[in-house]
Amino acid sequence: MTLAFVFPGQGAQTIGMGKALADAYAAAKAVFDEVDEALGESLSSLIWDGDIETLTLTQNAQPALMATSMAAMRALEAEGVDVTRAAFVAGHSLGEYSALAAAGALSVADTARLLRTRGQAMQSAVPVGEGAMAAILGLDLDAVRAVAEVAAQGEVCQAANDNDPTQVVVSGAKAAVERAAEIAKEKGAKRAVMLPVSAPFHCALMQPAADVMAEALAGVEIKAPAVPLVANVRAEAVTDPDLIRQLLVEQVTGSVRWRESVQYMVAQGVTEAWEIGAGKALSGMIRKIDRSIACSTVGTPEDVQKALQAGD
């Protein structure tokens, strides 16, 4: 089987995630220690013993999810499975940073600091309450783009996440997104759900955050990843460090082309995907994109052992 390692994005966070990995594997615990040191605070205490509202704040959720993914990756490595077992790495939005850390393109400490900066910049780019996102269920990408165009009425309204054939997320000014949700239902969408997010991610309103990330990324070493990254904004494999840096900036305002990214990997021969870190949202999306891909989640010591058996 040709394997891909995929890394979850925001929304997968739970209190206690990664704790069992840290208890079972010294290398996994070391990831949380490294992230705590890089941020100058005990993020691990928040992840394991805090409250979900604080953990869900973008500036906390982003480095926390990366830390959990990297703890799972280190657990796999302790069992003899390194990133080169995979043909590709890919991540959903912030998961792209986890993928790059897993592939050795970014250090864990740099990734934690970048994601803290990214979370703060995305949160502060648009005043709370002025932006929104909505998941449109049952319309394809072209149909949702047409809806967003009609709904915009001079405001920002864009298709932000093309998650799978049944779900496209729109992002932009709150009133425009609310209009898009209503228009989508009129156009035959099964549902249009306003999302409980604190900012309108992956649209033009995030340009101030993109500017911040351009500066932050300019000061960080990016190496060629050990395996190719399937980039969100290109939906194809990249390995050049300068191009990766550029695409991470573009990603802040650009669409997450997850459906196309999975289709690209399938076209390259991928038949199996391991979701590394918290939750199983990506596995659900992948199954809707192509049911032929065997999906496994790797977020606990038990998951690590199951994945090892599946990979034998």
Side-chain angles (χ1 to χ4, degrees), residues 200-216:
F201 305 130
H202 299 292
C203 75
L205 295 176
M206 286 288 112
Q207 187 57 49
D211 296 341
V212 170
M213 290 313 296
E215 187 174 337

Side-chain angles (χ1 to χ4, degrees), residues 3-26:
L3 179 63
F5 288 167
V6 298
F7 297 83
Q10 221 160 309
Q13 65 274 1
T14 56
I15 295 297
M17 63 182 182
K19 181 71 166 68
L21 288 167
D23 289 343
Y25 294 94

